[in-house]
Every structure is written in C-alpha cells, then in structure tokens.
C-alpha cells in the first residue's frame, strides 16, 4: 500500500486579498524510503509553520522573497521526525526542523547547508522550533538586539505583540531591563500580553480607529516616548509609533502585514525620521545567519527555564492550512500559527 | 555719530507658506567697542547664510530646531571681520565665522564654545565658510561618509544637487570613486551639475510631474540602482529614489524642503524599506561636532585645490534677506544662498 502525501499547491496568484481559492489540495504518493539517494533524508512533518512572509511570495512582484511557483508545493518551515535516512548525520526517530513546505512528507538533501537541523526536544517542545526557538524568535532577537540595540531603562514598543515575533520582542526587552509596550488587536490579546507575557502595557489598536485616539493611547502608555520600535504591521500603527519616537530612536522594520493584501499604505509623516533623527532599518533574518547560533541558544535557554512564554494557534490537518493562513493575515490567530499534521 | 545696525526680526509665524510679511526690518544702534565686556568680540558681518532649516524654526512646533523667538533677530550663520575685541584670541581684522544672525553687526561671547571661529582666507574665500567649507559642506560630508558610507564603484544619488549641500555630496562621492547622480530643478541647474560639478548624470524633476515619468528618468540615470541616497527635498523625489534603492542601500535624511511650507507629504511605499532592507537615517550635523575637524579639513583642501567647486547666489543688502529666503524655499536660488552685507 502506498501512503499518500497530501500537499497544498499555489493554484493562482491573489488579485488583492489572498483567499483559500488561491490554494489547491493535491494528493501525491509519499516518497518511499527505498527511493532515497545518498545524502537524502525522508521526514514526516509534525507541524507546518504559517508566517506572514508567505503572503509576499504569493505575488509575482519583485520583492525580497522569491515568488512561490504556481502549481508547486507552497514553501514553509516544518518540524518532524526522520523516517529514513541515507545521510550519516540523521537516524530514524531524530526530530528535525527544515523547510519542508505545505505537505505531510518531504525528502530533504541533508547535505545542503541549512536544509535540515536536528533539534533536542528534552526541554523545548518540538513545535517551539517553529516559533520562539525558531525563525520568529531569531527575527525578534535580531531586530531588537541588533537594530533597536536597547539599553537598560529604554522604552521598547512592538506591534503584533501577541504574535510569534512580537511576543518574543517584548519579553526579551524586559529581560534586558527595558520597559516593554505592546500593540495588539483586541482586549483578549492585550490582556494576555500584559498578564501572561509581562509587558508593562498593551494598546488595543482596534479600539482606536481614529489616528489621534491611537496616538493618545500610545502616548499614555509610553510617557517617556519610545526609544526602540519593532514594526510588524505598518499603516496607522506605524504612524502613531513614529510620532512617539524619542530623538535618536531606532525602528526595526520587520513586517508590514497591514499592507500585504492591497494597495500600499503610505507613511503619513516621513519628516519625523529627520526631525527625531531616527534610524529606520529593514531586515530579513535569513540574511543574518551569523546571529542564529547565539540567538537560538539564548531563546532555547529562556524557553526551557520558563522565562520566555509563547502561545500557539494550532489548526488541525493539512487541509486547514489555507484558511488558517488567511486568518493569520487578518490577525485571527493568537500567538504562533501552526498546522498540526499528525 | 552712532552707526546703525540693521536687523531682520521674525514678526509673525507663517500660516502655511512663509512670506516676506513674516519678517520686519528694524534699525538699532550698532554696538559700541567701548561697551564690550571681557571676552566679547564685536563683529561686522560680511555675509549672512540663508539655509532651509530656518523655515522649521519659524514655526512654533516641536521640532529639532528650537523655535525662533518672535520679535527677535532671526538666527543664522555669518562670516565677517572683527572690529574690536576683549578676547585674547581675536584681533581687529581677523576673519571669523559664527552665528551672528540676520543683522549687520553682532557682539559675540567668544569664550562660549563654538560661538566664533577664526578662519584663514588665504586659499579659501571668506564666503565659502558658510557653504562648501562650512555647515552645508560638513552636512554633505557627514551624510555621505557616515550614513551612506560609500565604497568605490557605488551608485550615489542626491536631491537638490546644485545646492550648497547637494553639490558637495556629489563631488565628494566622485572623489571617493563613486558614480554620482543628481536630481535638480530645471535644465540650467542640471547642466551645471553635470558640466561644471562633474556628476555622471542629473535628472530635472520639473520635467517629470508624473511619478512614473520621474521614476523612469531616474531609472535611466541609475542603471545599476542606487546604493546611497542623500535626501534634501522629500516628496515625489524621495518616492522615486526609494524605488530605485538596491538591497542594503542607505538613505541619509538631511532635509525635506518640499514639505516645509504646508501639509506633510506622505511617503508612498514605506514597505520598500523592508523589501530592500534599507537603512534610513535622519541627522543634524550640529549634533556630530566630532566630525567637523576632519570634514572641514578635507573640504578646505578640496576647495583650495579646485577639486571642490561651488556656486553662490548672492543677494545684496540685509533688506533683501526675506525675499532671498523665500526664493530659497522655492528653489529659485542657484547654489549657496548668501546675503552680502557690505
């Protein structure tokens, strides 16, 4: 009996908002252990990671992300278990993290640098390697430590604060002796950010449709201004944060999810970059591999010791991935969005 | 007979565009040498510098520039000659640069750090200490060298390219082995930038009212993209430059003159900062005094040897200062705007 490998392909590119109609569920035969070439590893995926950057790859536009090919398996981070291996570094039963894509099984050329990494699940749950101890965690670490470069006592703010990246930014900032203020959507997320994650304050941007109201709420939460801002959303939230920046503040531009689906959202007052002598820097964590070792080490230690908390939204089954992804783009997830495949 | 010290005061704050009606010519008695206190120096101004930053100071808004007081002499850089001195470092006849303001004479507390600096006019004309070998020159030097940080072969672009700052940016970039592309208003300025200053190309933004046309012209002039951009104007020009930036490019935000008079001009595509992983940094040269010695030394050497060229727009007489300043804000000047006071 041949096992089935269910896959999600990109069926069409979005015209405006992405929808589940852009995806197609495809059934392929699962790779056979006997068919592995030397150096290859067969992995069964336990979790698939859904991340905002995937929306950019669905377009055919020039962007930092190489466009996702039409009619091919959607790319994405995965954790799973080795079923069979023709690479000496991997044995059946090993837990691994890789870029297996939106499918249940993958054959990986393990000799390729960065293609597969064995992970220890003694103190860190497997799924965390897609979140706080994975790409989102390192993203938070890089933007905070290398761009915002906070000193103890500094005021750090972060948008999408309950998300996979934002939640790590604020907790790391607190661990560095900073004041951490989050911006999130809805009272439940804000309560979680303050009560569970230990941020000093959190603004509910959904309660402030008017830019002046949003600015005032942020001003109340950041009485000493903002020294470092970590941006995940863009739009009105970025406008408000920019206006609260202290002189010589730093802004790490990590994501602009509010503008991914439609027309670009302008920045209302770019002259503030000059007036407040800010440094605004965009980055992609995969271009800074030199920090991954240090960052993952620190993040794993914090998770293992309970000092770094995280929440996961887990959708069940590969077929649920498209809807879960659309929900992520709309902020319906709460914490790291995963799809459980077993 | 008492000599008259003519002064220009700020009479009112602009509501929208600045106009000459915001200024008032006032006649005061010139300070008497006999009235100098210990440490004071009496300077007769030869030239007054007019600079875009003065527009910001006319507002009462929170900005990096302390607001100009109503009913007081407009602040501004000046060069002149010492008439009398009770400071041992200054003798009558010494040529000096300072912040004497929009008036014909000033008494300066020379002991105050940075208040007055003696200059050598053997190889560098006195007026150049307000331009290429003064604050505008150091501004160009700082933004190019410390923010754009160009390497030989890099593509550097600068707006207001025929102006006091922009002209130095491009010539310095060429001296560092870079390709220099200017953006300026009108065919005469563009021809000057290329033919006299030696830039590789110059775009006339006035010939491209449509953003797509402006972008295409800039694209034609920067076939390899832009690695470092020095911004003096903001608005549509910044939008076009942002779209031409190469990955990991740097933008030095020095001025946004296009938005000084009216409503803020939004930035159309802030997501490009992330997509191209740019560093965008605002700065004010007076906050980086540590570079002035090195920068002025290099700039003076280049002017003295003829490798750094500049042009001056010289208005005659203090009474012409308001109109000359309004003209500067509208781009009517050609090169460094000065007012000759003798």
């Amino acid at each position: 009996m041949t096992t089935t490998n269910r896959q999600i392909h990109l069926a069409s590119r979005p015209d405006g908002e992405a929808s589940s109609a852009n995806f197609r569920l495809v059934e392929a035969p699962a790779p056979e252990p006997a068919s592995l070439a030397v150096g290859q590893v067969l992995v069964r995926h336990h979790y698939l990671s859904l991340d905002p950057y995937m929306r950019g790859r669905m377009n055919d536009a020039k962007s930092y992300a190489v466009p996702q090919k039409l009619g091919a398996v959607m790319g994405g981070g995965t954790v799973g278990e080795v079923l069979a291996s023709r690479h000496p570094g991997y044995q059946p039963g090993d837990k691994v993290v890789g870029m297996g894509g939106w499918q249940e099984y993958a054959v990986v050329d393990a000799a390729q640098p960065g293609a597969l990494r064995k992970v220890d699940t003694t103190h860190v749950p497997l799924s965390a390697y897609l979140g706080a101890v994975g790409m989102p965690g390192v993203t938070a670490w890089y933007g905070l430590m290398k761009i915002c470069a906070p000193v103890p006592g500094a005021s750090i703010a972060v948008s999408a604060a309950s998300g996979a990246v934002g939640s790590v930014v604020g907790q790391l900032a607190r661990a560095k002796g900073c004041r951490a203020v989050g911006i999130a959507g809805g009272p439940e997320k804000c309560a979680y950010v303050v009560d569970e994650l230990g941020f000093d304050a959190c603004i509910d941007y959904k309660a402030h449709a008017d830019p002046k109201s949003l600015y005032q709420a942020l001003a109340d939460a950041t009485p000493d201004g903002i020294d470092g801002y970590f941006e995940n959303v863009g739009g009105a939230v970025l406008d408000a944060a920019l206006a609260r920046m202290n002189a010589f503040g730093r802004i790490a531009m990590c994501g602009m999810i509010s503008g991914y689906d439609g027309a670009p959202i302008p920045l209302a007052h770019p002259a503030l970059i000059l007036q407040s002598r800010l440094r605004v820097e965009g980055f992609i964590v995969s271009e800074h591999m030199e920090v991954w070792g240090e960052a993952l080490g620190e993040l794993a230690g914090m998770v293992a010791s309970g000092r770094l908390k995280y929440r996961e939204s887990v959708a069940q089954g590969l077929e649920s991935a498209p809807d879960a992804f659309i929900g992520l783009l709309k902020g319906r997830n709460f914490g790291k969005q995963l799809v459980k495949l077993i």
Side-chain angles (χ1 to χ4, degrees), chain A:
Chain A
M1 190 194 83
T2 306
T3 310
T4 299
N5 180 24
R6 296 193 301 164
Q7 307 175 322
I8 304 277
H9 290 198
L10 182 65
S12 60
R13 302 197 185 280
D15 177 21
E17 281 194 19
S19 85
S20 53
N22 297 126
F23 302 96
R24 181 186 301 128
L25 181 67
V26 173
E27 299 203 348
E32 296 286 347
S35 69
L36 291 181
V38 172
Q40 288 188 329
V41 174
L42 172 60
V43 181
R44 180 178 185 186
H45 298 152
H46 289 202
Y47 291 95
L48 161 67
S49 176
L50 296 179
D51 300 277
Y53 76 84
M54 294 166 170
R55 175 62 187 84
R57 298 194 65 222
M58 293 174 73
N59 294 339
D60 199 14
K62 182 203 164 195
S63 175
Y64 58 84
V66 179
Q68 167 72 42
K69 276 188 193 154
L70 278 175
V73 178
M74 280 288 293
T78 46
V79 288
E81 183 175 330
V82 172
L83 294 186
S85 171
R86 290 193 70 194
H87 186 288
Y90 297 88
Q91 304 299 325
D94 283 350
K95 299 296 190 296
V96 289
V97 55
M99 291 294 290
W102 296 29
Q103 56 184 340
E104 294 172 316
Y105 298 88
V107 172
V108 183
D109 283 315
Q112 202 179 320
L116 208 61
R117 185 164 54 90
K118 206 153 55 173
V119 295
D120 182 349
T121 54
T122 316
H123 301 292
V124 173
L126 182 59
S127 63
Y129 289 103
L130 294 175
V133 191
M135 185 272 285
V138 180
T139 299
W141 192 97
Y142 184 88
L144 179 69
M145 301 302 291
K146 296 296 182 181
I147 297 180
C148 296
V151 294
S155 166
I156 301 294
V158 56
S159 56
S162 69
V165 174
S167 60
V168 178
V169 171
Q171 292 178 90
L172 257 182
R174 292 276 305 169
K176 303 296 175 189
C178 300
R179 191 165 188 279
V181 173
I183 302 159
E188 197 192 357
K189 286 180 180 176
C190 285
Y192 166 72
V193 164
V194 172
D195 299 339
E196 299 290 319
L197 302 183
F199 284 46
D200 296 277
C202 190
I203 305 305
D204 176 7
Y205 73 85
K206 290 186 176 172
H208 303 280
D210 173 62
K212 283 184 183 168
S213 170
L214 180 62
Y215 173 81
Q216 192 53 53
L218 189 59
D220 293 343
T222 58
D224 299 322
I226 300 174
D227 299 306
Y229 179 61
F230 193 110
E231 180 57 296
N232 288 307
V233 303
V237 168
L238 176 56
D239 284 335
L242 198 61
R244 283 305 295 163
M245 294 301 293
N246 290 328
F248 310 110
R250 305 279 193 92
I251 298 182
M253 291 279 252
C254 173
M256 306 278 273
I257 196 170
S258 67
Y260 286 178
D261 253 348
I265 302 178
L267 184 69
H269 295 93
L272 287 168
I273 297 172
L274 168 56
Q275 285 165 27
S276 302
R277 292 86 89 204
L278 306 178
R279 182 187 288 184
V280 182
E281 191 162 341
F283 75 103
I284 300 171
V285 74
S286 57
E287 292 175 335
H288 302 279
M289 293 311 295
E290 74 284 359
V291 310
W292 280 61
E294 179 186 359
L296 287 174
E298 183 170 357
L299 295 164
M302 289 178 72
V303 166
S305 65
R307 286 174 297 141
L308 179 58
K309 295 172 185 167
Y310 59 89
R311 184 179 284 215
E312 295 169 343
S313 280
V314 183
Q316 185 59 49
L318 188 72
E319 67 280 9
S320 68
D323 283 346
F325 179 65
I326 304 303
L328 169 72
L329 294 177
K330 296 191 178 303
R332 290 195 205 113
N333 61 310
F334 195 153
K336 172 63 197 170
Q337 181 66 56
L338 298 170
V339 181
K340 195 162 190 289
L341 302 176
I342 56 166

